[in-house]
Amino acid sequence: MCGILGIWGRDQVAAELMLGLATLQHRGQDAAGAITFDGSFHVKIGRGLVSEVFADKHQERLRGPWGLGHVRYATMGSTDVEDAQPVHVSYPYGLAMVHNGNVTNFDEVRESLYAEHHRLVSTSNDAALILYTFAAELEKCDLRSLSILDLFGCVEATQRAIAGAYSAVCLIAGRGLLAFADPHGIRPLVLGRRETEAGPEYAFASETTCLDFLGFEAVEEVGPGCAIFIDGQGEIHRHQGVRGRSAFCVFEFIYFAREDSVLRGRVVAEERERMGRALASPVAAAGTPPDVIIDVPASGYFFAVGLASACDAPFRRGLAKNHHIGRSFIQPTDEERRRSVRLKLNPIRGVVDGLRVAVVDDSIVRGVTSRRLVSLLRAAGAREVVMVSAAPPVRYPCPYGIDMSTRDEIIAARQSPDAVRRLIGADGLVYQPLESLQALYRDVGCCDACFSGEYPTGLDAEALTRIEREKDRSGRAG
Amino acid sequence: MCGILGIWGRDQVAAELMLGLATLQHRGQDAAGAITFDGSFHVKIGRGLVSEVFADKHQERLRGPWGLGHVRYATMGSTDVEDAQPVHVSYPYGLAMVHNGNVTNFDEVRESLYAEHHRLVSTSNDAALILYTFAAELEKCDLRSLSILDLFGCVEATQRAIAGAYSAVCLIAGRGLLAFADPHGIRPLVLGRRETEAGPEYAFASETTCLDFLGFEAVEEVGPGCAIFIDGQGEIHRHQGVRGRSAFCVFEFIYFAREDSVLRGRVVAEERERMGRALASPVAAAGTPPDVIIDVPASGYFFAVGLASACDAPFRRGLAKNHHIGRSFIQPTDEERRRSVRLKLNPIRGVVDGLRVAVVDDSIVRGVTSRRLVSLLRAAGAREVVMVSAAPPVRYPCPYGIDMSTRDEIIAARQSPDAVRRLIGADGLVYQPLESLQALYRDVGCCDACFSGEYPTGLDAEALTRIEREKDRSGRAG
Amino acid sequence: MCGILGIWGRDQVAAELMLGLATLQHRGQDAAGAITFDGSFHVKIGRGLVSEVFADKHQERLRGPWGLGHVRYATMGSTDVEDAQPVHVSYPYGLAMVHNGNVTNFDEVRESLYAEHHRLVSTSNDAALILYTFAAELEKCDLRSLSILDLFGCVEATQRAIAGAYSAVCLIAGRGLLAFADPHGIRPLVLGRRETEAGPEYAFASETTCLDFLGFEAVEEVGPGCAIFIDGQGEIHRHQGVRGRSAFCVFEFIYFAREDSVLRGRVVAEERERMGRALASPVAAAGTPPDVIIDVPASGYFFAVGLASACDAPFRRGLAKNHHIGRSFIQPTDEERRRSVRLKLNPIRGVVDGLRVAVVDDSIVRGVTSRRLVSLLRAAGAREVVMVSAAPPVRYPCPYGIDMSTRDEIIAARQSPDAVRRLIGADGLVYQPLESLQALYRDVGCCDACFSGEYPTGLDAEALTRIEREKDRSGRAG
Amino acid sequence: MCGILGIWGRDQVAAELMLGLATLQHRGQDAAGAITFDGSFHVKIGRGLVSEVFADKHQERLRGPWGLGHVRYATMGSTDVEDAQPVHVSYPYGLAMVHNGNVTNFDEVRESLYAEHHRLVSTSNDAALILYTFAAELEKCDLRSLSILDLFGCVEATQRAIAGAYSAVCLIAGRGLLAFADPHGIRPLVLGRRETEAGPEYAFASETTCLDFLGFEAVEEVGPGCAIFIDGQGEIHRHQGVRGRSAFCVFEFIYFAREDSVLRGRVVAEERERMGRALASPVAAAGTPPDVIIDVPASGYFFAVGLASACDAPFRRGLAKNHHIGRSFIQPTDEERRRSVRLKLNPIRGVVDGLRVAVVDDSIVRGVTSRRLVSLLRAAGAREVVMVSAAPPVRYPCPYGIDMSTRDEIIAARQSPDAVRRLIGADGLVYQPLESLQALYRDVGCCDACFSGEYPTGLDAEALTRIEREKDRSGRAG
């Protein structure tokens, strides 16, 4: 999971790039980077929050009216700046790129690039791989008379070559900004437009909340296989490239996207309430109704409110959250490790005492947090604890950029719901039924492979094993 | 506003001190410090979050079973490490201290110390002032045969000398931990106890959430004028020192304390819901009922829920919060400054569109955030916006450690509610009536001077002016 | 002035790269960088000393048996990491480069690259310019069957395209290390070889002191127009490319190179003594012989010793040097600024008292240090002070990488020696006669343009003006 | 070994304090600190060079006309900021102190302080120990009517209580600056005076080079047992306190002090030449005269020049020094460790080739550098290598603040000169005869205990063992 932003402006773009990235900070807190163009490229990439990476001086250094930015979520061990984004090359054009997603045929593409084009790609930078593949296509054209049609042809060739999930924005030096998505449109990317006295300006962002903040009106999404090019004069050119079935990541609705964003025309907060209401029936089926419904703040909130609105139990805030923890700062002993959930969450006295409590989380992946929450709530006096997951059981790893650990770590991968319930120590465990979720998103066309195992890109078991192994090794993520 | 913690343990205390301070991080994010004792003192103080100040190595360096910790909220300009806590001296005993509050007769005490005792106190460190005053009393005793009674006598003398708000914990080298409060008990401080195989251990903390986290059971509060001493053998000694009328800071209930803390026997979250319910009547009196009630997350939440439970309008989450902003990182232009509220808060589409919206915040001090919120909500389609403040109008500066700006900056100091309403651009403005608040806390005995101007320590206008001027100059805060 | 190093090894090369760069630290203290190759490139570049830029972890991260390193001397204001070295590209091969020198037709080459090849070059990175020019030539070959002859053809084309001074080492991914020099061989570069059990290893370094340290035996210099390629099997291939008259920078002998290095077959320390001896006759011609000869440590030492050996006056150490100053750390007032020379140098009592003192420095550029030294020595009791410059008057700016300020700042650019003497307040001023210097280096073939104005690359006045202007703007330096 | 500075000025003293400390940087590079007084104390202490610890902002923060500064040489492992200087207390006066030296009865004084005065002293801070001892005496006086005589009485009591070496400057808040030395005057301390329009100003510094730089004229040394007090009006008061036989550290002349300093009326550079001349006779006695004399730069220089002037062999610079190494920055392998001397020193080609070389170093302690130099010189072609030590064999550890390792590490502690010669691999080894050295300094009255074992403070073997053990444990150094 990462966040990307590209701005086609008419004045200095650096400050807006930095502030815009800050609104996407929830999509990645491990690294941030930006590149701008004013005839030359200017780059700044660093580890940490946007506010840690960028300082006042970068407003001045990152000169130019066009720019790209990236916030990165890195799996353990892959914090090398070598893998950070944006990436850029100076040939055949000056090209810079940011992308969100994950390539599933990395080694194959890399080998082909190396064999045919003598390009040197590091072993773990997806963005560089996509950029070089696109650049290799671009070289085949006559660069002096490159037409829009040529450009979109290069996008299609890239879409044919690269498998997996990728929503990318490419800055073509002196030419414009080009955005495109993989054939299934797995990751979100939205085009925004705003009027200025000097004429319209454009931005591509992972989420509409970023556009809102910067004052751009969301115009359209970069859907499955789509390409949109803003040329040097500010003209918009659209092209439908290679297209497969729509498979928008349903986990964006469940967890990743911010509640105020609009994805595929739907407000995320409302979607979460809808999913919460859909939980009423399986909760009812799970036995004695709960006395109170509480959320795991902040991600469980809308589900819990939705659930409460559809059943008789009231919603109450039962856990207080520490908003100022920062990064983990000391190597805790085992005893301290056991307290780590509590450092973030603490029961509010009296809310759960003596009651049958339904506690709603967005999903259960490894089960560690759930087990600790159940124990905390019991210690706070809860008579019974029912764990409610707004998502169906997570059973399969995600090869499209979501860090869901390997299969061995996913608690529901090889165990029944009842076994999971016993492992986390709850009195009840309610999952969103997969069918309910699918019913809610039938018209959107979503990828639910982490629940169903049905990978839209037709990944076979062997490929999956290979991806897991690679993930282990390189910690690749976009 | 600051957070303090003192631990009387039996093993190495450093890790618990750091983790405990992290649970008090909401009380101050500008600096953190800790001191431990193992025959010598070991100190670490630095700027920033607990997680930024302390590293693994400090677990090792801060040796010893007893320790004090502090997190600091600094007003602008007073970020000098010279003013940070803990403070310590090596004579007449080894003494270390942390305190939360604000001294109101600083110059007077300083002069007397300098005249009589030749002690050198910096111009802005309250904790050092209290510590030296206490130390000066201690010297008058025969140190070789110092009794518990002597000790409490020194506390009383200190309470008589120092005016203002102070809840302090003092580590007396080789002797034990001593906690005491000012005669009005303005700031919170709670004693906790936990059993270990080696015997009981004790902790004093600003809030119970810290005790909860560390596994201590809250035993009793250090009330108005109280002193509690845990001696070297782990015996508890209590003493009622100089006592005035109880004047516990009501703003702890309104804003400072975390929702899961218990203050004066009351759960903070419940108190906020109660205050919210009390708002129903003034909201009803303010004209057309709202269509929807939303909160300013996260501090307005419980008030909004309480209000919604007492009137017909539903509560909905209408503003999304950015949890990962970090410190402000670039010098924004005016245009960007106007966006700064939005960088933290963004309306959720559809929640407020076409409606009369009541937006609930904990309080209104300078009115800047309120004005921007009103404007954001209108832009998101709200037909009418009613601003609701869970607190009465803030009219007077706080001399007891709360940074409420000077009188010139307090929007309601010299203006009527209607003038304030116009300034923030709202269609309606509802404050908690002061009488309602006073009715809720009559039995607790609270300080509500920032609303009523009735300072429990009997501050006259002249003193107040002087304090404001000093605040301006030195940025003193505890 | 910069220092470069390239190692063709058989095992991990990172540690040797870092240590080797440290021996070249006198050639540049502003930035350091290294790149290694093990199938992918690994890069680390930062500001400051080698010991500040590299840490233990970089030994591990910079994997591979081949590597390049660079230490940088940056003129004021050009400390952007964007301009730092090594530079690298991933197409058409993986190519990395370090260079020492300065390109004099930057804009022209840049425009041609951009027009013909659509390559994007920043406005101030010489190394990138050379690298892209070379890469553009490489593309014209059939990369799959690239022969050694092709490679050297590309070097020649690069030498024809790029004017100025450049000694460069290029790492060609999977192929080998290629070193080449400009047609005049202005900057030093030496090939070293050492035997290991696994076979011979090679290194190219700016100076032999680096090779000595790493245990490589200096084999040959990369002379005017020369190219040397170490292929993947460790075979050496030599080629004489485009060659002009030899114009080795005479300032390397005078100041830049370390005293233990061997340049063009001559030991630097001995050369400096020779130059010192040659000063005896002009010193004698300057009037009363000095009573004592002292050096400006450390750069004036060998000249002073040489001079003393050729005349009757004894050499004594008359100035003590502060070796631990570090970077300038506070903004001094005017008074403090006047002391800045003294912070580094202080007269040793009794050495100069009552005497006619000849103080020997390597050269006089702006005259600021000379003026302060004269004043310091007078204050220490010197009866008369004769300033002796081992170099002739510096009169012209250097377009080949030496930061000699612009013409306006060069004290002797437009003034007679006697005017300079008066400006620095000395009783006498002796320069090395240009003819003496030229006589000493006739057989080497040196560039003495900073003294004579005779630029080996045939620079006209207009070009020079342009270069000065650019220098002012971009602070370009290699 | 440390450097101290105290300034009694009439304007802001911060900038001068920092710059002055920089001139003492050769006495300690591990930490630096400063304290100033303007009614309150202002402190800044940090690790590293003066230029790393202090920044522009500290010029502003360290307000006041009086100040103390310290640069610290720390033995391995004692880099805790807890042990750094200056130290200060706020009672009974505000007192701050810096000292240079080492206390030899630390535990005894500490226990007495704790027993009698309940003062808490850390286990390794000499300066705090001296300060508290002095403060304890001060308390016995009537502070309101404290006379100069009282003050000097307190100094005498302190001199009686504290054994070892200490030259200290104490800032007494509101009163003045007090300097004093131990009864033997082991460490240097000089008073300087300069005239300003507002009246005279004073400074105490470890060396005259610091006074020179700041424009103070050296007025007198703080000799054995002396105390000098500059009162608030700028009056100088002198007192001869407890005095033993003069035992000024002879190693100051040999190594520590900078060559331009004047100690006990003698210019250090001249002393080193004198010691060099005294080496001529033992060198002659050691067999075949050397063909050439070279120095180990920079500390061997003056000795080598002196020796050359007294025998037939010429002095030449045979080793080049790397001035820009900085701190050691990577963990070298064994092979790299062997090169570490070479990273600093490299033979200059041709100077030693085929010759019998005498290489002069200031002293030989552990013999590691000597062994490597011998090997480097042989590799550079030297036919024979004679190692010459300007100091006699170092045989005993120094309890007075010099880090000479423990007895086990001192190569000559238990071995004959010939055994040492074999260990370092030299063809000859010449030490300065102890008698020669003693003859040179008979009139000064020097401590030569590291050579002779005759400790001026009458340390017995048991005490010595204890000190070594403590040194090992705490790394105490002043």
Side-chain angles (χ1 to χ4, degrees), chain B residues 460-473:
Chain B
D460 58 22
E462 193 183 356
L464 201 60
T465 310
R466 190 170 44 81
I467 284 162
E468 282 216 33
R469 211 174 40 231
E470 276 176 14
K471 189 182 218 165
D472 232 46
R473 204 183 62 227

Side-chain angles (χ1 to χ4, degrees), chain A residues 37 39-43 47 61 80 82 90-94 110 114-123 132 139 143-144 173-174, chain C residues 37 39-43 47 61 80 82 90-94 110 114-123 132 139 143-144 173-174:
Chain A
F37 177 77
S40 299
F41 282 134
H42 306 285
V43 191
R47 296 184 196 182
R61 289 196 191 154
D80 262 20
E82 284 176 22
S90 301
Y91 184 89
Y93 288 112
R110 185 172 185 258
Y114 199 73
E116 293 301 311
H117 301 278
H118 311 273
R119 290 176 181 280
L120 193 72
V121 188
S122 93
T123 53
Y132 287 1
E139 281 171 65
L143 296 174
R144 257 157 289 185
Chain C
F37 177 76
S40 299
F41 282 133
H42 306 284
V43 191
R47 295 185 197 182
R61 288 194 192 156
D80 262 21
E82 284 175 22
S90 300
Y91 183 87
Y93 287 111
R110 185 172 185 257
Y114 199 71
E116 294 301 312
H117 302 277
H118 311 274
R119 291 176 180 279
L120 193 72
V121 189
S122 93
T123 54
Y132 287 2
E139 281 172 64
L143 296 173
R144 258 157 288 185

Side-chain angles (χ1 to χ4, degrees), chain B residues 100 123 135 163 197 219 240 290 295 392 394 410:
Chain B
N100 174 24
T123 54
E197 290 183 8
V219 172
Q240 177 62 54
D295 63 330
V394 172
I410 297 174

Side-chain angles (χ1 to χ4, degrees), chain C residues 249-375:
Chain C
C249 172
V250 77
F251 234 90
E252 292 281 350
F253 286 115
I254 295 172
Y255 177 76
F256 300 142
R258 229 172 73 175
E259 59 262 46
D260 53 331
S261 283
V262 179
L263 301 172
R264 298 296 187 246
R266 297 168 172 217
V267 178
V268 169
E270 282 176 20
E271 293 306 302
R272 290 180 186 166
E273 291 198 27
R274 286 214 305 158
M275 288 186 246
R277 286 195 295 275
L279 286 165
S281 138
V283 164
T288 326
D291 299 315
V292 67
I293 295 166
I294 69 172
D295 63 330
V296 179
S299 62
Y301 176 73
F302 289 100
F303 304 111
V305 164
L307 170 57
S309 76
C311 66
D312 275 344
F315 167 75
R316 291 196 69 189
R317 167 66 40 92
L319 291 162
K321 184 169 182 179
N322 185 335
H323 294 287
H324 304 280
I325 280 297
R327 282 139 210 285
S328 123
F329 55 101
I330 58 169
Q331 291 295 351
T333 61
D334 278 358
E335 169 53 29
E336 280 138 19
R337 213 181 301 274
R338 259 175 287 135
R339 289 188 199 141
S340 73
V341 165
R342 196 166 198 175
L343 196 50
K344 291 204 178 149
L345 296 172
N346 194 38
I348 298 174
R349 201 145 317 198
V351 174
V352 300
D353 197 15
L355 302 181
R356 174 169 167 95
V357 179
V359 54
V360 185
D361 208 346
D362 59 276
S363 60
I364 299 171
V365 180
R366 294 190 301 150
V368 180
T369 300
S370 302
R371 189 168 59 243
R372 290 181 189 162
L373 278 176
V374 169
S375 142

Side-chain angles (χ1 to χ4, degrees), chain A residues 268-281:
Chain A
V268 169
E270 282 176 19
E271 294 306 301
R272 291 181 186 165
E273 289 197 28
R274 288 215 302 158
M275 289 187 245
R277 287 195 295 275
L279 285 165
S281 141

Side-chain angles (χ1 to χ4, degrees), chain C residues 27 100-102 163-167 181-189 222-225 245-250 252 264 398-402 445 447 455-457:
Chain C
R27 297 185 72 85
N100 175 25
N102 198 61
Y166 44 93
S167 288
D182 65 77
H184 304 280
I186 297 172
R187 297 268 144 247
L189 188 61
V222 181
R245 74 164 167 94
S246 170
F248 183 74
C249 172
V250 77
E252 292 281 350
R264 298 296 187 246
C398 174
Y400 306 128
I402 306 306
C447 171
Y455 295 100
T457 62

